[in-house]
Amino acid sequence: MSKTGPVAAARPTPRASWRAALALLGPAFVASIAYVDPGNVAANLTAGARYGYLLVWVLVLANAMAMLVQYQSAKLGIVTGRTLPELLAERMRPSSRRLYWLQAEVVALATDLAEVVGGAIALQLLFRVPLPLGAVIVGGVSMAILAIQDRRTQQRFEVAIIGLLAVITIGFLAGLAVSPLSPSAIASGLVPRFDGPDTVLLAASMLGATVMPHAIYVHSALSRDRHRADPHTHVPPTAVARLLRGTRADVVIALGLAGVVNVGMLLLAASTLGGRAGTDTIEGAHASIEGALGPFVGTVFAIGLLASGLASTAVGSYAGATIMEGLLRRRVSVVVRRLVTLVPSVVLLAVGLDPTMSLVVSQVVLSFGIPFALVPLVRLTSNRRLVGRFATSGWTVAAAWASAGLVVMLNLVLVWLTFTSGA
């Protein structure tokens, strides 16, 4: 019997299925830029140079948390048609909204500082550009990237960011091709442990650089804008389920790549920078990488750092605009926001702020902002009245609450150690 006819014609071909799956990828790759920004570079290189493979476990744990968290954020935007900041604003009084926005804005500014400073350092390494001028250049290029972003051109923005992510990956992992690694030491680094207060500070910095508050906020907007052109239109549950399957793949692939890059940076520092003087700054680490592995690897690393700064500051500005629009109900152009938030970074560099230390401290600030984004996210995505059949439950919600608890505990320990040991 022939299999032609309406039923056979309606059955999607494998090629069509692949195209449909690929069409759903993109938002998580944009969000993943937050996980490979210059703050990650500073935290991971410092951890690897000072303590070798000791803190590999922190990155593995943080990346697993990041996958869980980013999927929940994306799901919230797809299912509800609203962003996390919008949903929070609906449940807060005006005074509470403003205070909540203030802490989120501090986190966004800390993020922006790290990203602009990282890009400026890269320009100085590549072209000897003074840091304040480099910050201005990074801001200008990021404004050009942001200019192509709106709901109608979402995919073009995603393609631009994914291209920069490819450069970042090559730039930060190229050195591993010629750097000797120790498999036994890597395995030992997977065992959770600390070695004094400084390693707790670094762990908090690495966690703040890996699980990013602004990425939690913005992923709900990225997924909503990509998959729901009209947030007020009802989407059938079967269509939502299909979007969520594609989103899971998007998150696993994108965050998996970001995790490989982060671990790769720490391994490169552990195998190349250990015992070398001056590796407590990005400039010193770059010089050591260049001295140990050659000028080509050093140049590729600096190019990766530049791409990281450009991409992450564009995504950070997008996140800041999403936060402001949702919590204050005031829409501000992402380009205008980029221009305004660039000023503090330029001023701090102009007055001689130590760039690498500012990167590490900014990541600690971010780690304190994580619970303010993560706790409401877990509550909203497990609320059946809000997300219906797609509510988080079982081991997933338990893991999400455990992640939030771990972050809070780590930050409390960090504060206690800082004030009791003088570290």
Side-chain angles (χ1 to χ4, degrees):
M1 183 175 177
S2 173
K3 291 188 178 181
T4 59
V7 175
R11 184 179 299 142
T13 65
R15 186 173 182 180
S17 298
W18 273 106
R19 285 181 177 176
L22 289 174
L24 298 177
L25 303 183
F29 283 85
V30 176
S32 73
I33 289 294
Y35 295 85
V36 289
D37 75 354
N40 293 84
V41 179
N44 295 335
L45 290 183
T46 301
R50 291 183 184 176
Y51 297 100
Y53 302 93
L54 177 71
L55 297 177
V56 171
W57 68 271
V58 175
L59 291 179
V60 174
L61 178 62
N63 198 66
M65 290 169 54
M67 287 185 181
L68 173 62
V69 168
Q70 294 304 141
Y71 173 70
Q72 297 303 316
S73 177
K75 179 177 74 173
L76 191 65
I78 291 172
V79 175
T80 68
R82 285 168 287 176
T83 68
L84 175 58
E86 288 172 345
L87 289 167
L88 289 173
E90 292 174 3
R91 289 158 172 77
M92 291 182 178
R93 296 177 180 177
S95 57
S96 299
R97 278 195 294 110
R98 287 190 285 270
L99 288 173
Y100 197 92
W101 168 79
L102 184 61
Q103 65 81 25
E105 192 65 34
V106 170
V107 168
L109 288 174
T111 302
D112 195 63
L113 172 65
E115 293 158 350
V116 172
V117 168
I121 292 173
L123 286 173
Q124 186 179 65
L125 294 174
L126 289 168
F127 307 111
R128 302 292 184 265
V129 176
L131 288 175
L133 177 58
V136 173
I137 294 172
V138 169
V141 175
S142 66
M143 277 192 279
I145 297 172
L146 286 167
I148 66 172
Q149 192 283 321
D150 61 36
R151 288 192 183 185
R152 292 169 298 176
T153 58
Q154 177 84 5
Q155 287 181 282
R156 281 194 289 173
F157 178 68
E158 291 171 3
V159 169
I161 296 298
I162 290 171
L164 288 171
L165 178 60
V167 176
I168 293 167
T169 303
I170 295 170
F172 290 156
L173 297 185
L176 292 178
V178 292
S179 178
L181 299 177
S182 170
S184 60
I186 295 173
S188 175
L190 295 173
V191 179
R193 64 193 189 280
F194 294 108
D195 185 16
D198 188 49
T199 58
V200 179
L201 175 63
L202 277 173
S205 181
M206 293 160 70
L207 186 64
T210 306
V211 182
M212 303 286 276
H214 76 287
I216 298 173
Y217 294 119
V218 79
H219 204 161
S220 58
L222 289 164
S223 295
R224 189 273 311 271
D225 293 348
R226 166 67 108 82
H227 299 304
R228 297 192 61 162
D230 184 356
H232 303 291
T233 300
H234 173 71
V235 180
T238 53
V240 172
R242 179 181 61 84
L243 290 173
L244 292 180
R245 285 194 297 270
T247 296
R248 278 193 290 270
D250 191 26
V251 169
V252 169
I253 296 170
L255 272 296
L257 178 61
V260 169
V261 172
N262 275 316
V263 172
M265 280 191 282
L266 188 146
L267 297 183
L268 179 65
S271 62
T272 305
L273 307 183
R276 290 176 175 264
T279 56
D280 54 344
T281 66
I282 289 182
E283 298 92 331
H286 171 265
S288 294
I289 291 172
E290 194 171 57
L293 304 178
F296 176 76
V297 173
T299 299
V300 172
F301 178 86
I303 292 172
L305 179 63
L306 177 59
S308 172
L310 293 174
S312 57
T313 194
V315 174
S317 294
Y318 185 0
T322 298
I323 293 168
M324 179 176 286
E325 181 179 351
L327 291 171
L328 296 188
R329 296 169 180 167
R330 294 180 182 177
R331 189 165 190 174
V332 179
S333 164
V334 289
V335 176
V336 172
R337 182 180 173 84
R338 164 69 282 169
L339 184 62
V340 172
T341 56
L342 178 64
V343 174
S345 300
V346 175
V347 170
L348 289 174
L349 288 174
V351 299
L353 180 75
D354 178 51
T356 299
M357 183 52 65
S358 70
L359 289 176
V360 174
V361 172
S362 72
Q363 303 313 299
V364 176
V365 172
L366 293 181
S367 72
F368 281 94
I370 295 172
F372 290 98
L374 184 53
V375 171
L377 176 68
V378 177
R379 291 187 63 184
L380 291 171
T381 53
S382 58
N383 185 341
R384 289 193 175 276
R385 286 186 296 178
L386 178 65
V387 294
R389 59 179 277 197
F390 302 105
T392 305
S393 60
W395 74 266
T396 306
V397 73
W401 280 120
S403 298
L406 177 63
V407 172
V408 173
M409 181 183 68
L410 184 60
N411 286 325
L412 289 175
V413 171
L414 171 63
V415 171
W416 181 77
L417 288 173
T418 299
F419 285 101
T420 58
S421 67

